Amino acid sequence: MSIQTIATQPFLDQKPGTSGLRKLVSVFQKPHYLENFIQSIFDSIGDIQGQTLILGGDGRYYNRPAIQIILKMAAANGIGRIKVGQGGILSTPATSCVIRKYNAFGGIVLSASHNPGGINGDFGVKYNIGNGGPAPEKVTEAIFERTKVIDRYQILDASNIDLDRIGITQLGNMTVEVIDSVIDYANLMESLFDFDRIRQLLTGGQFRMCMDAMHAVTGSYAHAIFEQRLGAPAGTVINGIPLEDFGNGHPDPNLVYAHELVARLFGDNAPDFGAASDGDGDRNMILGNHFFVTPSDSLAVLAANATLVPGYRNGLAGIARSMPTSAAADRVAEKLGIDCYETPTGWKFFGNLLDADKATLCGEESFGTGSNHIREKDGLWAVLFWLNILAVKQQSIASLMQEHWQTYGRNYYSRHDYEGVENDRANRLIAGIYEAMPTLKGKRFGQYEVAYGDDFSYTDPIDGSVSQKQGIRIGFTDGSRIVFRLSGTGTQGATLRVYLERYEANPPQNPVDAQIALADLIAIADELAQIRSLTGMDKPTVIT
Ligand code: G16
C-alpha cells in the first residue's frame, strides 16, 4: 500500500452552502471533484495527524464509493483512526452523537439531507467539528479558500474495506473501525426519555402512531427504537428500508413530500400521531389526527413542556431559534423567564450557544428541532420528545395545541417556497426589495403599516463573529412580519422562501387555517416583491 500524490486543478464551485457542499451526483463523480473537496477539508481543519474521525452518510447513491475514497485519503493524510457506520450508514444526529461520545476530532457526513437522491439526484459532504456540530463559517470559509488553490491530493493505493462487517481493519497506518450505526444513538435516546412510559403509550392499544422514514436513513433507527426497544406494533414504521434513491421520493418531511403519511393522518380512521424525517434523519414533521404542527409551534410546545421529560427535568437554560422561525418560542421563554436567541438560518449558528450553555433547546422553521444532547438537529429525538409529553399528558395533539395557544396566543405562520426559479430572476426580485426598502417605513398596505425593513445581521454573543445579509425582514406595526430569503441548500436554480407570520393574543377556540389568517400578508408579499410576475409562477411550489 503506497501513498499516491495526485496532481489536480481547482474547481471554482466548491463553496459550502447552508449545510455543506451539495451538488448533483454527476458533479461529485467528475474526476477529482470529491477528492479535491476532501483534501481541502483535511488541509483546513488543523493538525489531524493521528486523530480520530467519524465517517458515515445517509446511504444515498454514491455513499459507498465516496466512503471508500475518503477512507483511503484519510489514511494517506495521517489520520490515526476512523470509525465508520456499518454499510457506510450514520444519520446526521448519530454522527454528532458518536463524535461526542468518542471525543473524536471531527466527522464527515455524506448527505444532501432532504434533497432527492439516486443517480440523477444530489450528493453532499459536510464537515462537523469536535463538538459534534456543523463546522462554523470560519472553517467552511477556510475550506472554500483551499478549494480555490488546491493542486494535489493524497490517496492510499489500497483495496476497498468491507463496510458491512463490524470490526477493525488496518488501512496503511490508519485503523478503520466499522461500528454499529444505531446503538450509541439509541442508548442516548433512552437516557433522555421515559421509555417505560412511552412503551405503555405505544403498547396500550389506545394510541396509534405512524412513523414515515421516507426510505431514508432513519428507517434503521426508527425500527430499532420504536418497534424493538419500545414495542410498537410491526408496521408502525413505514417506508423503513433505506434506499439509494429514497424510492424515487423526495425525502423532505413536509406536507407536500410526505404525502403518504399526510394521507393517513388526514384520512379515515387516522392514527393519533404521525411523524416523518428526512434523508439524513435530522429533520422532523409532527402530525396529529387531522392536525399539522408547524415546526415553530413544535419548538414552543417542547419548551413549554420540557420539565415533563427526564432529560430536561431541571428546566432550560434558554431557547434559540433561527430568524425566520416564528416567535412562538419567544413567548414561552418570556413566561419561563429565560432568554430566547434569534440566529441566522443554519444549525451551525446554535453551536456556540449550546456549548456555552446559553440555550438548551433550539429550533428552525425548516422542520429542525434539537437540544444540547448533540450539536445537530435531531428528527427522532423530536418524535420521542412529543411521545414522552403525550404519554404524560394523555391528550390528543389537537387539544394540546389548543391549550398552548389559549395560554400563549398563536403565531399564525407559513412558509411559501418557489423552487427552481432562474437565478437572474431571483436576484432581480431580491434587488427590487432592497431598492424599495428605504421608502417602506410608514407605508400602509390595507390595515398593515410597515414598522421597519432591514437585512438581518447577527453578532454571535459568544465569539463576536458577525454574519450579514441573512434575510430581508419587513416588520409591521402590529408585530406581523414577512421575511424573504434565497435558500442556501438548493442545487438547481434558486429557491425563494417567503416566511409569513402574524400574532393573535386571543385566538378562537376553533383553529383558523393559517393560509386564511395570513391571506392579507400573502397578498402584501406579492405586491412588495412582485413574486408572481418576476418568478413567472402563479403559486408557490411548496407551502408549509
Ligand atoms: C439545512 C440547515 C438548516 C436550514 C435548512 C434550510 O438543513 O442545516 O439549518 O434551516 O438547511 O436552509 P435553506 O433555507 O438555506 O435551504 P438540512 O436538513 O438541509 O441540513
Side-chain angles (χ1 to χ4, degrees):
M1 283 188 254
S2 63
I3 295 176
Q4 298 188 315
T5 301
I6 311 282
T8 187
Q9 285 183 341
F11 293 91
L12 298 179
D13 65 346
Q14 296 197 319
K15 186 174 172 53
T18 309
S19 181
L21 182 68
R22 290 185 193 171
K23 300 280 173 197
L24 286 169
V25 166
S26 54
V27 173
F28 268 103
Q29 284 177 323
K30 285 190 210 165
H32 311 310
Y33 193 90
L34 173 70
E35 291 86 344
N36 273 19
F37 192 67
I38 297 297
Q39 186 66 52
S40 299
I41 294 177
F42 290 152
D43 290 348
S44 314
I45 55 176
D47 184 5
I48 50 175
Q49 297 307 306
Q51 297 287 1
T52 297
L53 284 185
I54 310 301
L55 176 62
D58 63 13
R60 67 179 60 224
Y61 186 85
Y62 201 51
N63 194 55
R64 280 174 178 263
I67 287 204
Q68 299 290 357
I69 291 169
I70 295 168
L71 286 173
K72 290 170 199 170
M73 288 186 67
N77 277 277
I79 301 288
R81 174 180 280 258
I82 286 217
K83 287 177 186 281
V84 55
Q86 188 176 18
I89 295 284
L90 273 179
S91 73
T92 289
T95 309
S96 187
C97 158
V98 174
I99 292 174
R100 292 168 70 77
K101 178 162 181 177
Y102 298 104
N103 289 318
F105 186 81
I108 294 176
V109 188
L110 305 179
S111 171
S113 187
H114 55 287
N115 296 17
I119 192 165
N120 298 315
D122 288 341
F123 190 73
V125 178
K126 60 179 177 163
Y127 178 68
N128 281 24
I129 57 174
N131 74 353
E137 276 189 336
K138 63 174 188 302
V139 177
T140 54
E141 273 159 22
I143 295 170
F144 178 47
E145 289 307 313
R146 184 71 195 140
T147 65
K148 293 195 245 174
V149 294
I150 190 165
D151 59 4
R152 50 96 205 128
Y153 62 84
Q154 290 187 297
I155 188 160
L156 198 69
D157 181 18
S159 359
N160 284 351
I161 290 284
D162 180 355
L163 292 174
D164 295 307
R165 198 165 38 88
I166 290 181
I168 290 181
T169 323
Q170 215 47 38
L171 195 58
N173 292 328
M174 184 177 85
T175 304
V176 180
E177 189 181 343
V178 177
I179 59 169
D180 184 295
S181 312
V182 176
I183 205 156
D184 291 316
Y185 176 80
N187 289 346
L188 177 61
M189 293 301 109
E190 194 156 359
S191 75
L192 294 172
F193 299 107
D194 189 340
F195 268 35
D196 289 339
R197 217 150 175 174
I198 299 175
R199 189 176 299 109
Q200 280 166 21
L201 179 75
L202 294 178
T203 57
Q206 300 290 317
F207 182 92
R208 284 184 301 133
M209 95 171 248
C210 179
M211 171 77 218
D212 188 350
M214 302 190 83
H215 287 303
V217 77
T218 314
S220 326
Y221 297 83
H223 277 299
I225 293 174
F226 297 117
E227 295 184 3
Q228 286 155 25
R229 292 204 187 192
L230 289 166
T236 296
V237 179
I238 61 168
N239 300 319
I241 298 179
L243 299 174
E244 286 196 331
D245 64 352
F246 307 121
N248 251 328
H250 191 150
D252 194 357
N254 63 37
L255 293 171
V256 174
Y257 296 125
H259 39 79
E260 185 176 346
L261 180 78
V262 172
R264 287 190 191 211
L265 269 291
F266 286 83
D268 294 339
N269 192 25
D272 305 281
F273 180 77
S277 59
D278 68 333
D280 60 334
D282 56 2
R283 294 185 175 205
N284 73 92
M285 175 169 73
I286 303 294
L287 300 175
N289 183 333
H290 291 79
F291 203 96
F292 165 59
V293 182
T294 68
S296 299
D297 278 339
S298 178
L299 173 65
V301 167
L302 300 192
N305 294 286
T307 52
L308 301 179
V309 172
Y312 306 90
R313 194 143 276 155
N314 297 329
L316 309 175
I319 307 173
R321 63 164 174 84
S322 67
M323 181 275 283
T325 304
S326 95
D330 302 39
R331 304 190 188 281
V332 177
E334 198 182 335
K335 195 155 191 164
L336 293 174
I338 57 176
D339 287 330
C340 188
Y341 297 86
E342 186 177 38
T343 61
T345 295
W347 202 262
K348 59 190 170 215
F349 293 103
F350 294 135
N352 279 349
L353 294 168
L354 292 165
D355 283 349
D357 204 22
K358 296 271 185 210
T360 310
L361 296 192
C362 305
E364 296 192 284
E365 49 65 39
S366 54
F367 295 87
T369 347
S371 87
N372 59 355
H373 68 292
I374 53 171
R375 294 294 180 272
E376 286 278 6
K377 54 189 187 276
D378 190 344
L380 287 183
W381 168 91
V383 177
L384 288 162
F385 207 130
W386 268 93
L387 285 172
N388 199 146
I389 292 171
L390 294 175
V392 175
K393 297 197 78 148
Q394 299 287 324
Q395 227 176 340
S396 73
I397 289 197
S399 87
L400 189 76
M401 283 312 310
Q402 261 313 317
E403 199 178 277
H404 186 90
W405 291 330
Q406 295 306 317
T407 310
Y408 297 94
R410 179 171 174 190
N411 289 72
Y412 290 101
Y413 185 82
S414 183
R415 185 177 100 184
H416 289 198
D417 291 340
Y418 296 81
E419 297 168 310
V421 181
E422 273 172 38
N423 285 315
D424 284 356
R425 284 171 173 249
N427 291 334
R428 227 180 312 143
L429 184 149
I430 295 291
I433 315 176
Y434 274 126
E435 262 164 45
M437 210 126 78
T439 61
L440 282 179
K441 188 163 183 235
K443 198 167 172 183
R444 290 196 76 87
F445 294 86
Q447 57 170 25
Y448 290 92
E449 182 183 332
V450 177
Y452 66 90
D454 66 8
D455 198 346
F456 182 59
S457 157
Y458 177 67
T459 303
D460 186 294
I462 312 301
D463 66 16
S465 58
V466 177
S467 303
Q468 286 168 326
K469 291 188 173 286
Q470 297 294 326
I472 300 175
R473 308 189 287 187
I474 313 287
F476 298 89
T477 49
D478 71 340
S480 299
R481 207 172 63 144
I482 303 174
V483 175
F484 299 93
R485 264 186 80 243
L486 294 182
S487 157
T489 57
T491 54
Q492 275 147 329
T495 294
L496 170 70
R497 303 207 195 282
V498 185
Y499 311 82
L500 305 132
E501 177 176 4
R502 175 165 87 77
Y503 179 65
E504 199 167 306
N506 297 302
Q509 286 286 345
N510 283 334
V512 177
D513 184 276
Q515 301 308 316
I516 294 170
L518 295 167
D520 290 346
L521 285 174
I522 293 168
I524 295 170
D526 188 56
E527 187 180 335
L528 260 170
Q530 295 297 305
I531 301 173
R532 276 182 295 181
S533 60
L534 284 174
T535 61
M537 297 160 123
D538 35 313
K539 57 178 181 1
T541 42
V542 178
I543 294 181
T544 44

